[in-house]
Amino acid sequence: MKKLLLLLIIPLFGFTQNVKERVLLIKKMYKETQELVKTGTKDCKDVSYSEVFDDDEYSRPYDRDITYCDFGQGYSRISCDFFLDHSAVSAEYYFIYNHLYFAYVIVHFGFTQNEYRLYFNEEGNVIRLLKNIEDEGNTEVINQEERERLKEEHLYWLIKSQKALMKYD
C-alpha cells in the first residue's frame, strides 16, 4: 500500500492530446468511476485523526478524515476532509492506474464555499481549472501563474492525505 500511494501523483506519460479531447476523456473516466462507486466492489481504507498545532493558544484539535478507495478496473480515489480554525477543506482526487487525472476541491468559509475543478494531462500539468467562487459563478482560470498557485495549494491536501494513509497503514 505504501508503494502504491507514492505512485499516485506520478504523471502518466503518453501521447499528447489537445485540451478538449483530454477534458472529454476525463469526464468519461469520472463517470466510469462514479458508476463503479455505485455498483462495483470497493477496497477502502479510512483514516481519522486529530491534529493540534503548537501555535494554537487554545490547543484545539482539528479533525482529519481521509478515505482511499480502489474501485477496480484501474480506478481509485482519495477523499479527505480537513477542518481548520474558521474553515474546512473537502477534496476528492481521482486516479486511473495510480495517475491523477481530476481533483475536486471545496473550501468552506462559514456559510460560503468555493469550488475548484482541476483537470490534468498525462504529464501531470493542469490543462483546465474551473473555480466557482461565491457570487462570481463558474469561471475558468486562464492565467498560468494562478493555475500553478492553485494547483500547489490544492495538491497540498492530497500530499497530506497520502502521508496520513502511509503513517496509519
Side-chain angles (χ1 to χ4, degrees):
M1 178 90 159
K2 289 182 182 183
K3 289 180 183 176
L4 173 68
L5 290 172
L6 289 175
L7 294 175
L8 290 175
I9 60 173
I10 295 175
L12 176 65
F13 295 102
F15 64 95
T16 304
Q17 300 167 312
N18 72 39
V19 172
K20 286 182 182 180
E21 288 175 348
R22 179 67 182 174
V23 169
L24 287 174
L25 178 60
I26 288 169
K27 289 180 178 182
K28 180 182 176 207
M29 292 187 298
Y30 177 84
K31 184 177 178 181
E32 290 173 359
T33 304
Q34 295 307 317
E35 286 299 316
L36 289 169
V37 168
K38 294 176 190 171
T39 62
T41 58
K42 300 172 221 159
D43 180 17
C44 296
K45 175 187 178 183
D46 295 312
V47 170
S48 294
Y49 66 99
S50 293
E51 190 171 18
V52 178
F53 297 103
D54 294 334
D55 60 350
D56 183 359
E57 65 183 290
Y58 302 108
S59 298
R60 294 169 286 205
Y62 295 98
D63 293 334
R64 279 70 171 102
D65 297 312
I66 302 161
T67 302
Y68 168 77
C69 288
D70 183 344
F71 301 110
Q73 299 182 30
Y75 291 104
S76 59
R77 179 184 69 199
I78 292 178
S79 304
C80 59
D81 293 300
F82 288 86
F83 299 93
L84 307 166
D85 195 19
H86 297 287
S87 62
V89 175
S90 299
E92 294 181 339
Y93 300 94
Y94 292 85
F95 304 89
I96 181 78
Y97 297 108
N98 299 326
H99 300 283
L100 181 64
Y101 70 86
F102 180 68
Y104 177 64
V105 180
I106 301 173
V107 181
H108 306 271
F109 300 102
F111 295 108
T112 65
Q113 67 181 31
N114 298 335
E115 300 176 4
Y116 301 88
R117 291 172 182 82
L118 293 86
Y119 298 78
F120 295 87
N121 67 9
E122 301 88 353
E123 290 82 29
N125 298 315
V126 174
I127 56 168
R128 187 172 192 195
L129 195 153
L130 300 175
K131 64 180 181 177
N132 187 356
I133 305 299
E134 197 73 26
D135 299 329
E136 290 181 27
N138 214 13
T139 58
E140 183 167 2
V141 176
I142 304 296
N143 181 285
Q144 191 61 35
E145 287 179 13
E146 185 180 3
R147 266 192 198 181
E148 284 302 311
R149 181 187 63 77
L150 288 168
K151 173 186 171 184
E152 287 181 30
E153 181 178 316
H154 297 306
L155 288 183
Y156 170 81
W157 304 109
L158 172 60
I159 294 166
K160 196 164 180 67
S161 296
Q162 289 175 312
K163 288 178 180 178
L165 286 164
M166 288 187 295
K167 180 178 179 180
Y168 297 104
D169 188 21

